[in-house]
Amino acid sequence: MPTPSAPPAEAVERFRATLARLADDFERIGVAVSGGPDSMALLRLSHAAFPGQVFAATVDHGLRAEARMEALFVADVCAGLGIPHATLGPAPLEPGNVPQAARRLRYRLLGQWCAANALPFVAVAHQRD
């Protein structure tokens, strides 16, 4: 797999400055990475801005057969960057609306992962809607 180029220096500096305004002093950063373009960009930007401080996690809800392969892809990219990676799940979803239940499960698993790894926060590249 070819190695993508590093993010532009100005983007790295803007990201670093924004994160410094949002979070108190920190030594480690958690990043949720699904394998999609937005979260992969966040992973690479985080790695460029905070080398050696990034920890990544992928949540596999067990809802799609492709999810396991996506998690393996992310793990492979992380290994190439020297970033520790964990695949979280699957775990049973609450009954009801599947997307909402999956979102709640995702954030619960990521919160537990942060606590277990002494990470002050997790950055995500997706939004509520």
Side-chain angles (χ1 to χ4, degrees):
M1 167 181 2
T3 303
S5 60
E10 57 274 4
V12 173
E13 287 307 315
R14 187 171 64 237
F15 180 73
R16 189 180 289 128
T18 299
L19 210 52
R21 284 194 307 272
L22 295 173
D24 291 333
D25 188 34
F26 59 89
E27 294 182 13
R28 299 152 49 107
I29 174 176
V31 180
V33 187
S34 67
D38 292 345
S39 67
M40 294 303 292
L42 177 62
L43 176 68
R44 295 199 61 82
L45 188 58
S46 299
H47 176 66
F50 304 100
Q53 296 175 264
V54 179
F55 291 71
T58 302
V59 176
D60 177 359
H61 297 91
L63 297 174
R64 298 178 304 109
E66 303 85 7
R68 182 173 181 271
M69 293 306 298
E70 292 162 358
L72 291 171
F73 165 73
V74 173
D76 187 48
V77 170
C78 287
L81 295 171
I83 296 172
H85 175 264
T87 299
L88 312 176
L93 292 178
E94 300 168 0
N97 182 294
V98 172
Q100 288 178 355
R103 185 179 306 111
R104 283 191 297 270
L105 174 62
R106 180 170 51 251
Y107 285 113
R108 182 173 44 114
L109 290 172
L110 288 167
Q112 292 168 348
W113 171 74
C114 279
N117 290 281
L119 299 168
F121 60 90
V122 62
V124 297
H126 48 81
Q127 53 192 355
R128 187 176 179 106
D129 61 355

